[in-house]
Amino acid sequence: MAKTKVSSEKGGSQPKTRTKQVRKFKGIFLSALTLNVFCLSLLAQPSPLPTPEDFFGFRVGADYHLLNYEQAINYWKKLESQSPKIKLFEYGRSSQGRPMILAAISTAENLSRLEHYKDISKRLALAKGLSTSEAQSLAAQGKAIVWIDGGLHADEVAPAQHIVELTYDLLSDPSPQTQKILEDVLTLLVLPNPDGMDLVAEWYAKNLGTPYETSPLPGLYQEYIGHDNNRDSFMLSVPETQSLNRVIHHDWYPHIFYNHHQTSPFPALIFVPPDSEPTNPNLPPLLLRWQNFIGTAIAKAFESEGKQGVISRFLFDTWYPGYITQVCDFHNIISTFSETFLFEYATPHFYKAEDFPPEYRDFTISLFFTNPWLGGWWHLRDAVEYCLTASKSVLDLAAKHKQELLYAKYAMGLESIERYKKEPPFGWVIPPGQRDEGAAARLINNLIALDLEVFQAEEDFRADGAPYPKGTYVLPTSQPFGRLLKTLFEAQVYPDLRRFPSLWQSIVEPIELKVPPLRTYDVLGWTLPYQMGVATSPLYSPLEIKMKRISRAALPEAQITGVGGYGYAISYANIDSVIFLNRLLKSGAQVFWAKEGFPAQDGQKKIFFAGDLIIPAGAFPPEKMKPLADEFHLQVFRLKREPRCPKQKVSLPRTALYQPWSHNMDEGWTRLVLEKHGFPYTSLHNAEIQAGDLRERFDVIILPNESPDFILNGHPMGTMPPEYIGGILPSGVRALGEFLKEGGVLVALGSSCDFAIQQFHLPVQNVASSLKPEEYFASGLLVRVRLDQSHPLAYGMPNEVAGFFANSPVFQDLPVPADSRPPVVVGKYAAEDLVLSGWMLGEQFLKSKAAVVEVPYGKGKIILLGFRVQHRGQTVGTFKLLFNSLYNAGSRDLP
Ligand SMILES: [Zn+2]
């Protein structure tokens, strides 16, 4: 489609003078009121829209120029004030408080009937109660809703910039193609990461013209989760993901969802579907074909325009459901995504063939790389034009196939409803009386937020031979987006691509592969109830019982039982009891952990366990406890007398979290998880650690998952502005050593355990560090971990949890010097049935090895949390290992 070029060149100097002329005439009108007729005829002419270049003073994608979010929104507002074909909607606020705005573009007539078209889209999406002929009729009446976003990953800059120019092109291009798009498509243009767009533009502007012009941002481009903002789409942990989820899955119900990225596998200039293998087996077959069709249409548009370097079926696969596109797929929204080529920001770069990886230097052509790029200059403008070609080809396809697209969505919803009436799993049940009711409620509310239908049984029933009480949650797979439920709830069985090479290698004689890794682009196993520690059962036979649909998890009512004046006992099993506990501690209440189980009343059967909370009434009379109990749905037991068990006083620890000058998502996730559970903390940087005196300020310091080398050495000289160079360095290690000797606690997460082992010469070895890739591969799965529940680190937890394991350390004790206390193992990888969900090679290296270890050091200790206890905010079932590590640092045994 040559129109990309034509319309963008139209954004040059010519219309600028026309705009100015109109402004001049308007001035005459205001000062000479008698010239009404003349001026009215002039005003009747719509004033030409300002081009991006008029508005910003430079062309979108010009070398060394990046638009920030505020500029882009101001331009949108200007266009909205002048054109009836664009309407802006605020749909949320970012983590840093910026308004999240989308632009809907169509004909004025279509925009005046938005609610009507949204309603059609919703009815087709939900499918229920519509006959095929009614669906056909709605598909004929409706409009294709196409979502196009740019800038989710903010340092991939071209996509967000292209959105601005695409807006202008759609509003101003008189070509028949664009007019048909306006007529048949409601285009939604979105800049989904406002904070990131500003942070990156500001960083680039600051370094422009210095040696650090292309240096990476020394932090995250989303307040908490950075690049993982495209891994949060089923857990919905941050405000941006929550707002995007709401506007996509509860408001617009789009038909096509196009998510732009900019990390094309060099020297390809853009990646488009078909995607790589493995394919998630729960994706609707019809949707996969549409994806391939759209990807091929995009690729064809590039060849028509003579644009080289389009690649498909490479690197990016559809296995993990946390991507924003994947959650759309599971809502029967045909998603597509692309990865355009990038140098850095708006800085151009010249590529010679010698820069290419060896396998690309002879420009071999293949079916999915038909027209290799030969090298040359690559400017931001080139990337913007690639994004424009791709977006416009998708809109063109949507206009041409509008009715078919609308009907396909209905067909996919209906297929899911009908298929899982006949085929297991028929659904899942979540019985009441969960060990952790708070986690179960979070899971259920998350599913409802994802627009899944959740029911509650209104009678006792049996399913697959097992009895379930009234109040059991029932989640049928037979629903329009039932495939999402299935993919989140079942254990992942990763297809070992070595077994049947002919299934996925598109070559005459498929090659037998002996060695892994046969990796996927992201993790291999994620089963959400396992991660959250919620007990569920699949339904292998159809269930027909009386049940009602719910819009929120119904937690058990709070109860205060027992009589007595000493105080209260409360279970610590519920994840929300952590928030409650922090609230109590902040209010100055005294709280103790029982170090052994105890009976609620003398002579009674034991009902409280080690780790449960004992709260002397003192400053906390029942009338003060009641509202808190209600808020957290607590079962509170009033104690007559002080329990005789040994106790440990719980204090709010003075917590510090190390923040390296990198895009460390684990650091951000840790902050988020701490904040959500009410832990105050201080972020610590290299210089503050090196300055020492840490024990005076903190009880505990957390090292997030980070490579030992980066913690120690950080960025090398010359790669970043001087203030971000280096790691904690030997002086920081010494300061941490002093902190430990004086009784501080260091909590090492994931890879930072290796840092602690190496720098403090711990009598512990990571046995996974020396394994060869052909014998060991474990890049993200759930494994069974057994915990010592009597140890304070495991208080409130079951004896077995699903640990998220991603090339995590695996510990083995070494001989301990005679004058030292030995490490204490709190958690071990299971000896049997290790893999719970996903796949790994080399299970034998984990079995019975230590996963959670407390190592005494001076008066303090180092806690090694090997597997990823707070990974992506999803592993609610293991959060307490982190929280307890903190409480233990601030707490002490009673004499
Ligand atoms: Zn990206």
Side-chain angles (χ1 to χ4, degrees):
M1 293 201 300
K3 69 182 194 260
T4 303
K5 202 143 199 180
V6 174
S7 56
S8 52
E9 277 168 3
K10 238 171 37 188
S13 58
Q14 207 188 4
K16 208 187 232 171
T17 45
R18 284 214 317 268
T19 316
K20 276 185 186 155
Q21 274 170 2
V22 172
R23 288 201 191 113
K24 205 166 133 196
F25 281 125
K26 268 187 182 171
I28 295 167
F29 170 75
L30 290 171
S31 58
L33 293 166
T34 48
L35 293 171
N36 276 347
V37 178
F38 169 69
C39 288
L40 282 175
S41 70
L42 244 187
L43 283 178
Q45 298 284 325
S47 56
L49 297 175
T51 67
E53 191 169 355
D54 285 336
F55 194 79
F56 302 115
F58 58 88
R59 194 182 188 200
V60 171
D63 286 350
Y64 312 112
H65 287 80
L66 280 184
L67 296 170
N68 66 21
Y69 185 69
E70 194 185 351
Q71 286 173 300
I73 296 300
N74 285 342
Y75 182 55
W76 271 1
K77 286 179 179 164
K78 177 77 180 166
L79 295 178
E80 189 191 33
S81 73
Q82 285 186 238
S83 169
K85 291 184 279 187
I86 173 170
K87 267 191 181 178
L88 304 182
F89 297 91
E90 183 175 329
Y91 63 95
R93 289 264 158 179
S94 68
S95 293
Q96 295 180 352
R98 289 176 180 82
M100 298 181 74
I101 292 172
L102 70 76
I105 297 172
S106 197
T107 61
E109 158 76 11
N110 290 345
L111 290 182
S112 71
R113 303 186 69 203
L114 276 184
E115 290 312 313
H116 172 65
Y117 293 121
K118 278 186 187 176
D119 184 59
I120 289 178
S121 196
K122 180 177 179 177
R123 289 176 67 193
L124 289 169
L126 301 183
K128 234 171 237 175
L130 276 187
S131 68
T132 50
S133 61
E134 285 166 332
Q136 281 293 8
S137 154
L138 285 177
Q141 294 168 45
K143 302 291 173 191
I145 301 180
V146 180
W147 171 292
I148 302 178
D149 68 60
L152 185 69
H153 289 160
D155 62 356
E156 302 165 17
V157 292
Q161 308 289 308
H162 111 283
I163 289 284
V164 175
E165 183 149 325
L166 181 59
T167 314
Y168 173 77
D169 288 357
L170 288 173
L171 297 178
S172 63
D173 179 16
S175 73
Q177 295 100 309
T178 300
Q179 294 312 304
K180 182 165 172 56
I181 289 170
L182 292 175
E183 189 53 51
D184 289 327
V185 179
L186 296 169
T187 303
L188 307 180
L189 298 184
V190 186
L191 299 163
N193 184 358
D195 299 347
M197 194 169 169
D198 278 357
L199 288 168
V200 167
E202 192 188 326
W203 172 250
Y204 183 63
K206 184 181 144 206
N207 296 318
L208 195 62
T210 76
Y212 314 112
E213 184 170 310
T214 58
S215 295
L217 199 68
L220 298 167
Y221 51 63
Q222 191 285 341
E223 177 68 20
Y224 296 102
I225 63 175
H227 190 267
D228 270 355
N229 64 358
N230 198 23
R231 304 293 185 276
D232 186 40
S233 297
F234 64 75
M235 202 63 196
L236 310 174
S237 289
V238 295
E240 288 89 336
T241 329
Q242 289 157 12
S243 297
L244 288 165
N245 176 75
R246 207 166 38 241
V247 77
I248 298 164
H249 302 304
H250 294 265
D251 190 9
W252 288 90
Y253 299 88
H255 303 97
I256 294 181
F257 185 94
Y258 185 177
N259 177 232
H260 277 270
H261 291 262
Q262 204 186 357
T263 330
S264 174
F266 179 71
L269 296 179
I270 188 167
F271 166 90
V272 296
D275 296 332
S276 192
E277 303 293 355
T279 299
N280 186 305
N282 291 319
L283 290 171
L286 178 57
L287 179 130
L288 290 170
R289 294 296 183 182
W290 270 100
Q291 267 179 352
N292 293 346
F293 177 55
I294 293 174
T296 305
I298 301 173
K300 180 168 73 79
F302 278 91
E303 304 304 354
S304 305
E305 292 183 20
K307 288 185 168 133
Q308 295 174 318
V310 183
I311 200 166
S312 297
R313 236 179 125 71
F314 194 91
L315 191 60
F316 305 103
D317 62 62
T318 59
W319 185 251
Y320 186 62
Y323 310 127
I324 191 165
T325 45
Q326 286 283 95
V327 169
C328 284
D329 290 343
F330 283 116
H331 285 88
N332 305 326
I333 298 166
I334 302 155
S335 82
T336 188
F337 91 109
S338 59
E339 297 274 357
T340 306
F341 186 53
L342 170 75
F343 175 56
E344 293 292 351
Y345 312 112
T347 299
H349 192 78
F350 189 85
Y351 291 90
K352 302 188 285 287
E354 300 95 273
D355 301 330
F356 289 15
E359 64 270 32
Y360 288 100
R361 284 185 204 156
D362 57 1
F363 309 105
T364 302
I365 284 169
S366 69
L367 197 53
F368 292 103
F369 192 44
T370 53
N371 191 358
W373 183 48
L374 305 178
W377 277 104
W378 189 252
H379 299 264
L380 174 59
R381 180 67 207 177
D382 296 318
V384 166
E385 296 210 0
Y386 267 56
C387 293
L388 286 167
T389 295
S391 290
K392 289 176 182 182
S393 69
V394 170
L395 291 171
D396 189 57
L397 175 143
K400 285 176 180 154
H401 296 271
K402 184 214 79 165
Q403 188 169 340
E404 215 186 326
L405 267 172
L406 267 68
Y407 189 78
K409 182 147 181 174
Y410 164 77
M412 288 186 274
L414 189 67
E415 190 266 355
S416 181
I417 292 170
E418 294 301 324
R419 178 175 185 152
Y420 294 105
K421 277 182 189 165
K422 298 175 223 122
E423 191 181 303
F426 293 93
W428 275 263
V429 291
I430 304 180
Q434 294 276 331
R435 192 176 188 289
D436 183 346
E437 295 277 5
R442 289 188 196 185
L443 174 61
I444 287 156
N445 288 333
N446 226 67
L447 299 175
I448 294 168
L450 290 167
D451 207 12
L452 288 169
E453 297 168 8
V454 180
F455 298 84
Q456 220 174 354
E458 294 187 289
E459 58 191 357
D460 296 348
F461 65 97
R462 295 185 80 83
D464 301 320
Y468 293 96
K470 178 181 170 183
T472 295
Y473 296 105
V474 181
L475 308 132
T477 325
S478 169
Q479 53 176 304
F481 317 130
R483 288 164 176 277
L484 176 60
L485 174 75
K486 185 169 181 286
T487 218
L488 294 179
F489 268 53
E490 68 188 7
Q492 277 71 55
V493 181
Y494 189 71
D496 184 347
L497 298 178
R498 290 171 304 171
R499 284 180 64 210
F500 305 111
S502 58
L503 286 183
W504 59 279
Q505 292 179 12
S506 315
I507 50 179
V508 174
E509 203 170 326
I511 298 162
E512 295 288 338
L513 291 181
K514 299 276 186 297
V515 289
L518 294 161
R519 54 163 293 190
T520 166
Y521 192 70
D522 207 87
V523 307
L524 286 81
W526 53 80
T527 311
L528 197 50
Y530 295 177
Q531 292 202 72
M532 298 184 75
V534 178
T536 65
S537 299
L539 294 168
Y540 294 111
S541 35
L543 187 64
E544 279 188 26
I545 56 162
K546 228 175 117 196
M547 53 189 195
K548 62 167 193 283
R549 188 164 172 193
I550 56 163
S551 57
R552 193 142 185 91
L555 277 164
E557 292 275 302
Q559 274 191 325
I560 300 185
T561 52
V563 279
Y566 169 73
Y568 317 92
I570 296 172
S571 162
Y572 183 58
N574 188 324
I575 186 68
D576 294 332
S577 62
V578 174
I579 309 173
F580 163 76
L581 174 55
N582 284 335
R583 190 86 70 80
L584 281 190
L585 293 173
K586 282 178 199 166
S587 77
Q590 278 205 321
V591 186
F592 300 93
W593 260 333
K595 291 186 65 108
E596 284 169 13
F598 64 93
Q601 231 125 93
D602 282 345
Q604 274 196 2
K605 220 170 96 199
K606 183 187 83 171
I607 59 160
F608 288 99
F609 301 92
D612 283 342
L613 307 175
I614 299 170
I615 306 153
F620 242 85
E623 62 273 19
K624 249 176 135 178
M625 179 58 83
K626 176 81 172 64
L628 269 180
D630 286 343
E631 184 181 342
F632 294 99
H633 297 264
L634 295 175
Q635 308 297 306
V636 180
F637 191 87
R638 292 181 68 185
L639 297 167
K640 218 178 241 173
R641 262 176 231 102
E642 182 175 356
R644 289 189 193 143
C645 61
K647 292 184 270 303
Q648 177 174 339
K649 186 169 187 298
V650 188
S651 309
L652 204 56
R654 297 173 303 158
T655 303
L657 173 62
Y658 174 56
Q659 187 173 57
W661 296 122
S662 64
H663 195 90
N664 187 313
M665 293 172 274
D666 197 60
E667 182 274 333
W669 280 114
T670 310
R671 267 188 287 126
L672 185 70
V673 166
L674 292 180
E675 285 177 26
K676 286 196 173 195
H677 293 85
F679 285 94
Y681 67 90
T682 305
S683 289
L684 272 190
H685 300 102
N686 297 324
E688 290 132 21
I689 292 183
Q690 288 151 6
D693 287 337
L694 296 165
R695 186 67 187 104
E696 279 173 29
R697 297 171 61 201
F698 305 111
D699 300 310
V700 57
I701 297 175
I702 307 170
L703 298 178
N705 180 63
E706 179 62 88
S707 83
D709 179 61
F710 194 81
I711 297 175
L712 187 64
N713 300 312
H715 294 289
M717 194 72 83
T719 59
M720 287 287 267
E723 60 270 37
Y724 304 112
I725 288 299
I728 72 166
L729 304 176
S731 58
V733 174
R734 277 195 301 278
L736 285 178
E738 288 303 313
F739 168 75
L740 286 161
K741 281 181 196 148
E742 292 162 18
V745 172
L746 186 67
V747 179
L749 303 178
S751 301
S752 70
C753 292
D754 287 326
F755 170 83
I757 292 171
Q758 290 159 17
Q759 297 302 325
F760 300 107
H761 311 289
L762 304 186
V764 175
Q765 184 188 9
N766 172 10
V767 294
S769 60
S770 54
L771 299 173
K772 296 186 194 75
E774 59 271 25
E775 58 184 357
Y776 181 70
F777 170 77
S779 76
L781 73 159
L782 297 173
V783 297
R784 201 184 297 270
V785 178
R786 295 198 201 284
L787 298 173
D788 173 3
Q789 286 173 294
S790 68
H791 193 281
L793 285 188
Y795 280 172
M797 301 185 69
N799 61 0
E800 192 177 286
V801 290
F804 185 83
F805 189 92
N807 295 319
S808 307
V810 179
F811 306 117
Q812 183 166 288
D813 292 6
L814 293 175
V816 180
D819 56 343
S820 301
R821 286 171 292 153
V824 179
V825 174
V826 183
K828 278 186 175 183
Y829 297 111
E832 302 294 331
D833 301 324
L834 178 76
V835 173
L836 285 167
S837 184
W839 183 78
M840 70 174 291
L841 182 74
E843 286 181 40
Q844 70 273 20
F845 298 111
L846 265 69
K847 286 182 174 179
S848 302
K849 294 284 189 325
V852 177
V853 183
E854 189 182 85
V855 191
Y857 193 96
K859 285 188 209 154
K861 52 195 165 194
I862 298 175
I863 297 172
L864 304 174
L865 301 176
F867 63 92
R868 307 286 296 277
V869 298
Q870 76 327 356
H871 184 251
R872 291 180 179 164
Q874 296 169 13
T875 54
V876 176
T878 57
F879 282 177
K880 280 210 192 104
L881 284 169
L882 173 63
F883 300 154
N884 293 346
S885 301
L886 308 185
Y887 287 134
N888 271 289
S891 305
R892 60 185 173 82
D893 285 351
L894 287 192

